[in-house]
Amino acid sequence: MTDHLAQNANQHISIAPLLKELTEQSNIKNATANEIATAISRIFENKLSPVQCSSLLSLLRATKRDREPLVLAKCGQRMREAAAQVDRKALRDVIRTRGRKEGSYRGGFCDLVGTGGDGWSTFNVSTTASILASSLLLLGKHGNRASSSTSGSADLLQAIKPKAPVIGAVNAGVLPSLYEKSNYAFLFAPTFHPGMRHVAAIRKELGIRTIFNLLGPLANPIEGSIEARIVGVFHQELGPTFAEALRLSGARKGLVVCGEEQLDEISCAGKTKCWRLFERPNPAFRGPKDEEDENFTTSDEEAEPRTVVDIQEFTLEPSNFGLQSHALSKVSPGKMPEENAATLMRLLRNELPRDHPILEFVLLNTAALFVIAGICDVDASDMGHGDNGEVIQENGPGGLRWKEGVRRARWAVESGRGLASLERYIEASHAAAGP
């Protein structure tokens, strides 16, 4: 393999050979995903000169190498490795003690995130849905401030009144203890990915989408503990790419979505293309058939795994959830953070009409995470006060219970459990910040 990295006298590492290959049509594919990921990793160490850094980002975009699943998976891995590291054993303890197993959901962490950049600047759907979902799931919501919209997830949370969370206080060191008090945590990207500060000015000056506009959903700092996720992408051609990148990254449950309007959410206006990652038994597996036997190991590195991950493609629309359609003009353009935060609190306090466009937009996306996590795969439910236990067993696209997901999402609003989950997170974040 060609050595594309050479250190020079001023401590910058030259990637000139790699840049040369990316500029030559006949050699574009010669650069491996590992070599590209290694070059990207030097950015987090501030080891690339501004000129070579901007050249790398621009060439990856121009050659579309930044749209390849393996490149995205490898670069996402390097970005996570450069992040502030969270104690994995402590997270496993959280799952064991606080995870609420139900159906095929094993109590692990979940995330609901989009690439952004779809141009619609809708209400903060994924952040609101993640808060509602934390009524029944453990949530590690990875997010940042706005870059292309008027209100990013961090902006929304910091605008909550009368008491906003201290999002910067939740770091790798305090995260496990915060989960002792809260099902929800917001993982503020600048806190967990400090190396990104070295490329911030370059990205701003370039003024174009780069690979970093795609890596966010693949860079959750608790990735190894994520059981299920919804990932929204801003263009349908990215759907299969992201689904495969997630599979290569080790994801076993997930749903990649893109509204037909090129929306990085499940659309409330019409159809949404979906790519679902799911596990199935591997017929080539030769170990114990009992999945409860978690102690089974083998010294054969080439042994077949117990399960394999497949990707299923289908289309969703609001009627599959038992909801009506709403034009995107009813939920966009998004407002400033203060106004969106006020709407968030009205929603959580059950003050919006049952058919309010923003409420139903949020219900769609919350329901999808419930479905993908697996908690809808039961014959009866026991969510708590206000739950009659009657599961909607009707199957929709993909053979999944989308209407049951909505029933649970409405319960999270009407029971006040979504609001209570947010309040516990706010208090826990203030405790983490100290006096």
Side-chain angles (χ1 to χ4, degrees):
M1 181 179 71
T2 304
D3 183 6
H4 287 311
L5 304 174
Q7 195 157 1
N8 62 26
N10 65 4
Q11 301 305 307
H12 280 150
I13 292 175
S14 174
I15 56 169
L18 172 62
L19 297 177
K20 183 178 179 181
E21 283 197 341
L22 290 173
T23 59
E24 297 174 350
Q25 190 66 34
S26 60
N27 291 326
I28 286 174
K29 295 294 184 180
N30 285 357
T32 68
N34 277 326
E35 289 169 341
I36 292 171
T38 298
I40 288 290
S41 74
R42 303 304 184 189
I43 295 173
F44 310 131
E45 303 167 349
N46 199 23
K47 291 293 181 66
L48 291 190
S49 72
V51 170
Q52 291 204 339
C53 179
S54 60
S55 297
L56 174 64
L57 299 181
S58 300
L59 284 169
L60 290 176
R61 176 183 167 89
T63 60
K64 297 188 177 181
R65 295 298 308 271
D66 61 0
R67 305 292 181 97
E68 295 178 11
L70 186 58
V71 170
L72 286 171
K74 292 292 185 180
C75 290
Q77 177 185 350
R78 292 303 186 93
M79 190 169 174
R80 295 191 303 272
E81 290 171 351
Q85 298 299 300
V86 184
D87 187 333
R88 294 292 181 84
K89 180 181 181 302
L91 290 179
R92 289 196 296 270
D93 290 342
V94 169
I95 294 171
R96 188 177 65 253
T97 59
R98 288 189 55 83
R100 181 183 179 276
K101 295 182 180 181
E102 185 176 12
S104 58
Y105 173 56
R106 298 188 290 269
F109 293 97
C110 301
D111 191 12
L112 201 161
V113 64
T115 56
D118 60 17
W120 283 100
S121 195
T122 57
F123 175 77
N124 299 93
V125 174
S126 63
T127 308
T128 307
S130 69
I131 293 169
L132 274 187
S134 67
S135 59
L136 297 173
L137 309 172
L138 288 174
L139 259 292
K141 167 64 176 163
H142 187 219
N144 207 339
R145 296 189 179 91
S147 58
S148 59
S149 65
T150 54
S151 176
S153 51
D155 306 308
L156 175 77
L157 292 172
Q158 289 184 306
I160 290 174
K161 293 181 180 179
K163 188 176 185 178
V166 187
I167 62 174
V170 180
N171 56 40
V174 307
L175 187 60
S177 60
L178 181 138
Y179 277 122
E180 294 174 4
K181 307 167 186 174
S182 169
N183 271 14
Y184 186 85
F186 181 72
L187 312 181
F188 187 37
T191 299
F192 286 85
H193 296 284
M196 284 295 294
R197 70 185 185 277
H198 301 307
V199 73
I202 291 171
R203 293 178 66 194
K204 186 174 181 179
E205 284 193 47
L206 281 175
I208 59 173
R209 286 177 180 155
T210 70
I211 193 170
F212 290 114
N213 293 91
L214 303 175
L215 288 180
L218 300 172
N220 192 309
I222 60 170
E223 173 65 30
S225 301
I226 296 289
E227 178 177 344
R229 76 200 76 206
I230 305 290
V231 176
V233 296
F234 62 79
H235 199 284
Q236 288 189 11
E237 71 176 16
L238 288 172
T241 297
F242 256 84
E244 183 60 24
L246 285 169
R247 178 161 61 179
L248 291 170
S249 300
R252 312 193 76 76
K253 284 183 189 176
L255 188 70
V256 179
V257 301
C258 184
E260 65 178 356
E261 312 86 356
Q262 310 305 332
L263 179 74
D264 71 337
E265 316 275 3
I266 296 178
S267 177
C268 62
K271 295 180 180 180
T272 297
K273 291 283 289 183
C274 302
W275 297 264
R276 175 194 172 211
L277 285 80
F278 67 99
E279 286 183 285
R280 63 172 175 81
N282 183 1
F285 178 66
R286 294 293 177 260
K289 298 301 181 185
D290 184 2
E291 290 194 11
E292 296 301 318
D293 184 5
E294 297 180 357
N295 294 320
F296 173 74
T297 59
T298 176
S299 59
D300 183 359
E301 293 183 359
E302 297 183 359
E304 292 286 344
R306 185 190 301 276
T307 62
V308 293
V309 177
D310 280 346
I311 297 173
Q312 174 190 30
E313 185 175 338
F314 53 84
T315 300
L316 285 172
E317 52 190 303
S319 61
N320 300 133
F321 295 82
L323 300 172
Q324 57 186 310
S325 297
H326 300 281
L328 286 186
S329 60
K330 300 291 186 181
V331 296
S332 64
K335 310 299 182 182
M336 296 303 291
E338 294 75 16
E339 191 169 346
N340 282 351
T343 301
L344 163 68
M345 298 309 294
R346 287 184 63 208
L347 187 154
L348 293 176
R349 292 175 182 139
N350 196 25
E351 294 173 357
L352 297 180
R354 282 178 61 85
D355 61 351
H356 193 284
I358 286 178
L359 172 60
E360 294 203 337
F361 196 10
V362 170
L363 292 177
L364 286 172
N365 287 273
T366 308
L369 186 55
F370 283 155
V371 170
I372 295 303
I375 63 171
C376 299
D377 304 334
V378 293
D379 295 326
S381 65
D382 184 18
M383 295 184 286
H385 178 72
D387 176 25
N388 62 14
E390 297 178 2
V391 170
I392 301 174
Q393 299 190 21
E394 176 185 341
N395 290 330
L400 301 171
R401 297 175 175 177
W402 307 104
K403 291 180 181 178
E404 170 61 12
V406 170
R407 185 185 76 87
R408 289 170 178 264
R410 282 203 186 275
W411 170 85
V413 174
E414 295 171 359
S415 67
R417 287 285 290 273
L419 176 61
S421 187
L422 173 63
E423 290 173 341
R424 282 193 294 271
Y425 160 63
I426 290 173
E427 293 303 322
S429 74
H430 280 264

